[in-house]
Amino acid sequence: MAIIDAWAQHPTVRLLQHEMLDSLRRWTGDTIPDQPPPVATTLAAMDAGGVDTALISAWYGPEGVLISNDEVAGFVAESGGRLVGVASVDLRKPMVAVRELRRAVTELGMKALRIVPWLWGLPPNDRRYYPLYAECVDLGIPFCTQVGHTGPLRTSETGRPIPYLDDVALEFPELVIVGGHIGYPWTTEMIAMATKYPNVYIDTSAYTVRRYPPELVTYLKSHGRGKVLFGTNYPMIPPQRALAGLDDLGLDDECRDLFLSGNATRIFGLSKSD
């Protein structure tokens, strides 16, 4: 059975050295590298966890570019088809951002846009996102964003699904939205949104299977089986650790296949050639 990781990064040294990740390093025990990690390291971690494909994202923030779209495209080119690119852009420059998103999709082959609201201090219903939502709809790609509390040393307010992401789903019913990181401690709000809106989904990145909230597991096994995607937030959590205990969830074959790959394949428009 194929496994697709819906939320990962192949990090640059610029990202790994950023002070905002100090809190994550306390949890993971990771040290700060002084050399760029090779793509082979990410592929080896995927192999150890049985992950076939990972969607890796660029990181743009108000302090500068931490992983550029062109760097992501380079990582993808080195991966032998194992990595799929996800774009990011600078929210401060709306027209530049729209053009960069268009370039990332049409020229670099990116399959989605990801913006992390806490990095900008701007919730997803801020006006600066709206031109990008329209462009995502026109390009036929999903918008991926973080929901729930913020692990790094930034405010968690921007991760509340209701009202912020709820406003976006109401105003852009054609926009496909994937809320990463489960939405905890507002998981029930995220489940309510995924139930209410046909184009809203949840991914499990930043959580190991053993830490999934019970309400998410219940949703996944019932009417939410077409709505939840597996993700890791690698390198914070390697795939092998993220998936440990999967059998204990008691997923039937259909649910397991949708969760691990079927939903991501459909939502991101993936194929074997990707």
Side-chain angles (χ1 to χ4, degrees):
M1 183 180 295
I3 302 178
I4 297 172
D5 182 350
W7 182 302
Q9 293 83 202
H10 178 74
T12 60
V13 172
R14 298 192 306 281
L15 177 65
L16 293 175
Q17 290 180 340
H18 201 289
E19 55 80 21
M20 69 185 174
L21 301 182
D22 287 349
S23 59
L24 301 188
R25 282 188 282 271
R26 290 201 305 271
W27 302 338
T28 64
D30 292 339
T31 57
I32 301 174
D34 55 11
Q35 295 296 321
V39 170
T41 301
T42 293
L43 298 181
M46 292 165 60
D47 288 339
V51 170
D52 299 274
T53 305
L55 287 102
I56 61 166
S57 179
W59 274 63
Y60 285 63
E63 299 169 6
V65 182
L66 299 173
I67 309 175
S68 73
N69 291 320
D70 289 292
E71 285 175 314
V72 168
F75 302 148
V76 170
E78 288 185 51
S79 73
R82 302 282 303 280
L83 301 178
V84 175
V86 174
S88 192
V89 293
D90 188 337
L91 277 180
R92 297 168 299 182
K93 303 172 182 177
M95 288 310 303
V96 173
V98 166
R99 292 181 185 120
E100 174 61 10
L101 175 58
R102 192 178 302 138
R103 183 186 77 89
V105 173
T106 61
E107 297 182 22
L108 302 180
M110 304 294 192
K111 294 292 187 178
L113 170 67
R114 187 199 296 173
I115 295 178
V116 182
W118 58 257
L119 190 57
W120 294 94
L122 299 171
N125 64 352
D126 186 274
R127 68 187 188 281
R128 280 159 281 201
Y129 292 82
Y130 277 43
L132 293 164
Y133 297 149
E135 186 66 19
C136 283
V137 172
D138 280 350
L139 291 168
I141 60 167
F143 170 67
C144 304
T145 193
Q146 176 266 348
V147 289
H149 82 99
T150 302
L153 299 174
R154 294 291 188 274
T155 180
S156 294
E157 176 65 22
T158 55
R160 289 180 176 270
I162 299 173
Y164 305 123
L165 205 58
D166 190 40
D167 287 347
V168 177
L170 278 170
E171 294 173 347
F172 291 87
E174 297 172 71
L175 179 66
V176 175
I177 300 169
V178 181
H181 299 13
I182 288 178
Y184 180 85
W186 306 292
T187 307
T188 52
E189 290 186 12
M190 198 60 221
I191 291 170
M193 283 193 54
T195 301
K196 177 179 179 179
Y197 299 108
N199 286 332
V200 173
Y201 300 87
I202 306 168
D203 87 46
T204 62
S205 56
Y207 287 78
T208 62
V209 163
R210 293 193 172 102
R211 292 186 60 230
Y212 292 173
E215 60 269 33
L216 182 71
V217 176
T218 298
Y219 181 64
L220 168 63
K221 294 168 70 171
S222 56
H223 63 289
R225 61 181 51 211
K227 287 285 195 164
V228 185
L229 294 69
F230 167 70
T232 62
N233 198 26
Y234 176 87
M236 177 190 168
I237 299 178
Q240 187 173 32
R241 184 155 70 91
L243 286 164
L246 180 67
D247 290 344
D248 297 338
L249 295 184
L251 307 181
D252 61 44
D253 289 344
E254 179 197 48
C255 183
R256 189 182 181 110
D257 179 66
L258 288 170
F259 172 54
L260 293 179
S261 64
N263 292 334
T265 298
R266 183 182 77 254
I267 292 162
F268 292 103
L270 304 180
S271 65
K272 291 182 179 179
S273 63
D274 294 320

